[in-house]
Amino acid sequence: MDDPAEIGRRVQRLRTEAGLTQRRLAEPSYTAAYISTLESGRVRPSETALRFLADRLGTTYEELATGRPAHLATELRLALTDAQRTLATGAADEAAVLYRRLLTDAEGLDLPAEQAEALLGLGDCALETGDLTGARAHFAAAEALQSGEPLPRRARAIRGRAVAHLLAGELRYACYLLESTIDELGARGLADPEALVLLYAAVIGPYIDMGAHARAAHAAETALSLAPRVTDPALVAGMHRQVARTFLAEGRTAEADASLARAQAVYRQLQLATDLAHCHWMRGYVKAQCGELPAAEEELRTARGMLATRRATLYTAQVEVELADVLRRLGRHGEAAELLSALLDLDDSHGAVHAGGAHRLLGLIAEERGETEAAEEHYVRALALLERSGATGDLADLCRLLGDLLRRTGRTEAALDAYRTGLGHRAAIGTTTLGPAPAAAPDRTGAGTGQWRP
């Protein structure tokens, strides 16, 4: 709402244009003296008064309060919906062009809610294209604009920041952002099911990568209990996609595949191309875990093709790590090594966990070729990447591989050091270094409470 003097001048102009006296404008709810005081800017009118006056003046409350024609805000919101559809069905860089233009329009009209929505869209575009620094900046700016909003409204921005940190290999900080928000929602009694499902689904991935399987299972159970109260089908589908990871970790492959099939059906119906590609990616991983390598290769190549078409470079690279592992297990070492060599430019800021995975696989291939020195070099580089990420399960496995290699080459003491390091990473399964797990979400309805990326 504008300052009282600006509103007063606007009321006076519109009243004069309408040929109304102060008394005729005021009746029957107000007095001419009140209108005179308002027009001189000596009183801030209430929303009730402005809505009454807007009706009498043949305009809208929004235009009277802000000077903006109401249709401009409506048109901007429709355009934001179109940009969201472009992101879902087209390339992220095309959607980003739309979101940047709409952000400028929203800033010009001083519409903070629409500015935040445009920034959230830009953050999603940046995640897809692998610009993790840009993604964090966009989500942080959106969260700042929403600082006066209730916490559930800020959940999407917080989740976006957490995913950007996760993809950069900063697993512990991603967990911290998500856990602290879940705890704050509980402490404030804000049992918003959509916000909680969004946050619990997002925290499953980093929990599993850190070896915190008990926490991942609890998050999945909580998300599933809240799902019947969520009206957004895409959000529920995303939750099922993440819950599939906990089923797989527990060896429940049929249930994991069923969860992915449910998510896939929704994504196909809504034409959410990137999310559909993620389902093919995860199903490829499930097939690989079950030893169905030709089927796994087919699913992963489908995911890779879909993501490459959308120019989702970081996600494409991550799928290629999984595909290379399948090719290696099929005995096609040359194809696998060629695929992996292009991924070694991934670093701490752009997929450290998957860069570490690429070095691990290249180490295995080198070992199978009898190239011991090259294998050791790849394992050591993988360790350097993964130690900073906190990917506990991957680190323990890598320490075992390195220890076995050192033992076979006669370096027993160095091998023991590698094994001890691996045992240290496995010592606290089901926990993280972040303190107690988030408290269970308050239940007000009586309802029960490898390397896959989100």
Side-chain angles (χ1 to χ4, degrees), residues 113-124:
E114 285 70 21
Q115 290 177 54
E117 190 63 31
L119 286 164
L120 289 170
L122 284 169
D124 288 335

Side-chain angles (χ1 to χ4, degrees), residues 95-377:
V97 171
L98 297 176
Y99 277 122
R100 279 192 289 271
R101 189 184 74 234
L102 294 171
L103 175 61
T104 300
D105 292 345
E107 288 171 343
L109 293 170
D110 192 25
L111 294 170
E114 285 70 21
Q115 290 177 54
E117 190 63 31
L119 286 164
L120 289 170
L122 284 169
D124 288 335
C125 292
L127 283 181
E128 188 160 317
T129 58
D131 178 12
L132 302 183
T133 301
R136 287 194 294 268
H138 291 314
F139 288 125
E143 189 179 353
L145 278 169
Q146 296 173 323
S147 60
E149 298 286 338
L151 183 57
R153 293 286 300 276
R154 289 181 271 139
R156 186 178 159 199
I158 295 167
R159 182 259 184 195
R161 283 205 295 135
V163 170
H165 284 287
L166 170 62
L167 291 173
E170 300 164 7
L171 276 62
R172 286 188 175 87
Y173 190 64
C175 285
Y176 163 75
L177 285 174
L178 296 165
E179 287 186 345
S180 59
T181 307
I182 290 168
D183 278 337
E184 190 175 351
L185 285 168
R188 296 186 184 184
L190 300 172
D192 183 282
E194 297 209 351
L196 287 168
V197 166
L198 184 73
L199 297 166
Y200 273 115
V203 83
I204 289 172
Y207 276 161
I208 289 180
D209 287 339
M210 293 176 70
H213 298 295
R215 289 196 182 190
H218 171 71
E221 179 185 350
T222 305
L224 285 168
S225 73
L226 292 166
R229 298 161 56 192
V230 174
T231 57
D232 181 355
L235 177 55
V236 174
M239 179 270 299
H240 281 298
R241 199 176 83 209
Q242 294 300 328
V243 166
R245 293 197 64 185
T246 64
F247 289 147
L248 188 61
E250 296 168 358
R252 298 155 63 184
T253 54
E255 290 168 86
D257 203 48
S259 279
L260 289 171
R262 282 195 292 272
Q264 208 165 19
V266 173
Y267 292 145
R268 192 173 287 115
Q269 181 181 3
L270 297 176
Q271 297 182 318
L272 301 178
T274 299
D275 293 304
L276 186 58
H278 279 275
C279 279
H280 283 291
W281 177 2
M282 185 62 174
R283 294 192 90 170
Y285 183 74
V286 171
K287 298 292 185 187
Q289 293 297 104
C290 295
E292 302 173 24
L293 299 182
E297 181 184 357
E298 182 180 354
E299 291 281 6
L300 291 170
R301 287 195 183 279
T302 298
R304 180 193 184 202
M306 293 173 70
L307 291 167
T309 298
R310 295 175 59 78
R311 299 187 284 280
T313 53
L314 180 57
Y315 289 138
T316 302
Q318 292 173 344
V319 171
E320 288 173 343
V321 175
E322 305 287 357
L323 177 59
D325 188 35
V326 169
L327 293 173
R328 181 190 68 83
R329 291 167 63 186
L330 286 167
R332 292 150 61 185
H333 291 172
E335 290 179 63
E338 183 179 356
L339 196 59
L340 290 166
S341 63
L343 305 180
L344 299 184
D345 289 336
L346 294 173
D347 56 22
D348 280 348
S349 63
H350 288 82
V353 175
H354 282 79
H359 278 293
R360 172 188 174 278
L361 290 175
L362 285 168
L364 286 170
I365 292 170
E367 270 205 86
E368 290 161 0
R369 290 173 168 173
E371 302 168 0
T372 304
E373 289 185 8
E376 182 178 345
E377 181 182 347

